[in-house]
Each structure stands twice: as C-alpha cells, then as structure tokens.
Amino acid sequence: MSTPEHSPLGKTTVYAGRYDPALLFPIPREQKRVEIGVMEPLPFHGVDIWNAYELSWLDARGKPQVALAEFRVPAHSPNIIESKSFKLYLNGFSQERIASDALQEALARDLAAAAGAPVTVTLSAPSAQGHAITDLPGALLDELPLEVDDYGPPKAGYLSANHHAAPVEEILLSNLLRSNCPVTGQPDWGTVQIAYRGAPVDHAGLLRYLISFRTHNEFHEQCVERIFVDLMARCAPERLTVYARYTRRGGLDINPFRSTDPAAVPGNPRGPRQ
C-alpha cells in the first residue's frame, strides 16, 4: 500500500548494493490535498526540487564517479516519492557500472514512473558553477518582537490582510519554519519565502502562523501547499508564490515551490542552512 506507514520510514533497512527501481515508494498526493481543500483544477503551479548530494556509481573501468543531482518533480504529478526510499534507490547505483548518460536516463525513467509524471534530472560535478551558497531574497520576519506560546497545529486564523489599504508587492522570508515527519516524528527545518501582490499581509500574524507548524506532522510538500491555500483563503492576494528550502536529511533536500503564476520557474539556490 502507498501510505506513509507502509514506507521504509522508521524501519530497519538493509541498504541495497545494486540498482533496483522497485525501491522507490510513491505516496499519492490526493488524500492530503483533499484534507487541506486542494481540488482539481489545482489552484497553483509548481515543482518539488530535490537535490541529492550522495550520488555515486562506477564507470566502465570500475572507477567510482560522483555527482550532484537535481530532480524536478512537477506539482501536478499524482504522487510524491518518499524520501528514504529515494535515498535507498540512489544508493543502489553505488556498485553499478553505468555510463553517466545511461544513469541520467534511468533516473528520469524510474522517477517518472514513481511520480506519475515526467521528472527532469540534471547531473553536475561538485565543482561546477552554480553551487554557490546564497540567501533567498526577502524581508526577514524573524526579528519581530513577539510573545509566542502556540506551536501547533497550524492556525490559519493568525493570517489577515488590510483590504482597505493600497495593494503592495513584497517578498517576505522566515527561517523559523519547522515541521515533523508524519511517520518518524523527526524534525524538518526550513526557510520559507512568500512573495505576493495584494492587500498588505499582517507580518506578525504571518510569523505566528509559520511558527504554529513547529509541532505539526506533515511532509514538506504538504506543508507548503497548506501555507499557500491558507494565505489565499485568508488574505486573497492577486498573486502568490510560496517557496520553502528545507535542510537536507540523508543526503537529500526537498524544496517545494507553489505559485499562481503558470510561467514561474524557480531557481535552485543553495541556502546557508543547506
């Protein structure tokens, strides 16, 4: 069954020594989307960007090769891929003799089969340009002087906007996003960027709302979609983008991006915490 409790999460695992696409464990997005009020057609466009820092294989002579891998899973795919199963799958290449182009083809094919939609795969050398560490742009909310005593579950009621004021366009940022794996309870730490145009959003209420994820159990992708849906419902912006950059676990980081703009294509900047 493709439910989180049936995944490899939280279970003793023997690492595969060989390539095996059956290790990938898809989890349907539908149930959680119904819970948070996301229906077809989707109210957003977007992608889940995965970065793998522990990809290695053997060349034709048996010499180990390494690369950084970027995977882009479209938000319209019917499934997410459970992260531990993803790591086990990638580790299976470590003793496989395979050409880099054949490796890239296999990754794209297998991940598309698991996600249910085409997945873009990019491999690059660790020394390649483009891996510089940089902050996401935005006005940081974290220094607001708040008294906080609510750490979950998330409360959309904290969100509000002043619809009597002139519309604004701003980018807001917080490093205080924390949620937990719904199976193991392990913490997931992230930086979230919220860009919008519309009635001015109350900054203090937004920060309280983000902090209220602190004890919440949900996957990265689901948290970002919940934030997007709650902001649209409570603040009704004309345009909205939510982008979370999570710290890595097990050699993988996951960075969900959701936007009202169908043409928006996010970059993949590696943050200081990543």
Side-chain angles (χ1 to χ4, degrees):
M1 296 178 65
S2 294
T3 55
E5 60 271 21
H6 292 93
S7 77
L9 280 170
K11 300 179 178 68
T12 301
T13 304
V14 176
Y15 275 72
R18 292 295 179 185
Y19 161 65
D20 182 4
L23 291 169
L24 291 168
F25 190 89
I27 298 175
R29 298 184 193 263
E30 182 181 17
Q31 181 177 354
K32 181 59 66 169
R33 284 180 169 173
V34 169
E35 176 187 317
I36 64 177
V38 174
M39 310 296 288
E40 295 286 349
L42 296 178
F44 47 66
H45 308 269
V47 64
D48 301 325
I49 302 175
W50 296 66
N51 293 302
Y53 301 91
E54 299 177 7
L55 179 61
S56 184
W57 68 99
L58 306 178
D59 68 12
R61 296 179 296 179
K63 181 182 176 182
Q65 306 293 302
V66 296
L68 299 182
E70 177 193 283
F71 308 100
R72 292 189 175 231
V73 181
H76 67 258
S77 65
N79 304 317
I80 62 174
I81 300 171
E82 188 278 307
S83 60
K84 184 176 180 181
S85 79
F86 203 156
K87 178 177 173 57
L88 293 172
Y89 163 77
L90 294 176
N91 188 73
F93 286 100
S94 61
Q95 292 302 113
E96 289 290 337
R97 296 194 182 206
I98 186 171
S100 58
D101 55 349
L103 170 64
Q104 189 164 344
E105 291 173 4
L107 290 168
R109 178 185 64 247
D110 297 342
L111 295 170
V119 174
T120 302
V121 178
T122 304
L123 305 183
S124 59
S127 59
Q129 296 294 320
H131 298 310
I133 294 175
T134 183
D135 284 308
L136 286 172
L140 189 65
L141 299 174
D142 301 350
E143 300 305 318
L144 290 173
L146 296 181
E147 292 285 341
V148 180
D149 60 5
D150 185 355
Y151 306 105
K155 293 181 176 59
Y158 286 129
L159 298 171
S160 65
N162 183 0
H163 292 279
H164 299 293
V168 299
E169 191 161 356
E170 60 180 350
I171 301 174
L172 305 173
L173 196 70
S174 176
N175 294 311
L176 303 186
L177 180 62
R178 177 195 188 268
S179 53
N180 303 289
C181 172
V183 178
T184 67
Q186 289 181 300
D188 297 316
W189 305 91
T191 295
V192 61
Q193 180 193 62
I194 295 166
Y196 76 94
R197 174 174 171 77
V201 171
D202 176 63
H203 290 186
L206 174 57
L207 186 57
R208 290 185 189 279
Y209 168 73
L210 295 174
I211 291 171
S212 73
F213 278 81
R214 196 167 181 85
T215 61
H216 183 59
N217 298 328
E218 208 163 46
F219 289 126
H220 303 56
E221 302 93 332
Q222 297 162 352
C223 287
V224 169
E225 292 185 2
R226 183 181 295 274
I227 293 169
F228 182 98
V229 168
D230 285 346
L231 279 166
M232 289 299 294
R234 300 286 302 184
C235 302
E238 300 169 23
R239 297 198 302 268
L240 175 64
T241 296
V242 179
Y243 191 13
R245 303 284 307 183
Y246 280 89
T247 58
R248 78 180 78 166
R249 189 193 298 159
L252 292 167
D253 63 43
I254 310 170
N255 309 280
F257 175 93
R258 302 291 184 268
S259 180
T260 54
D261 181 1
V265 178
N268 187 15
R270 183 175 170 187
R273 302 168 73 195
Q274 296 181 302

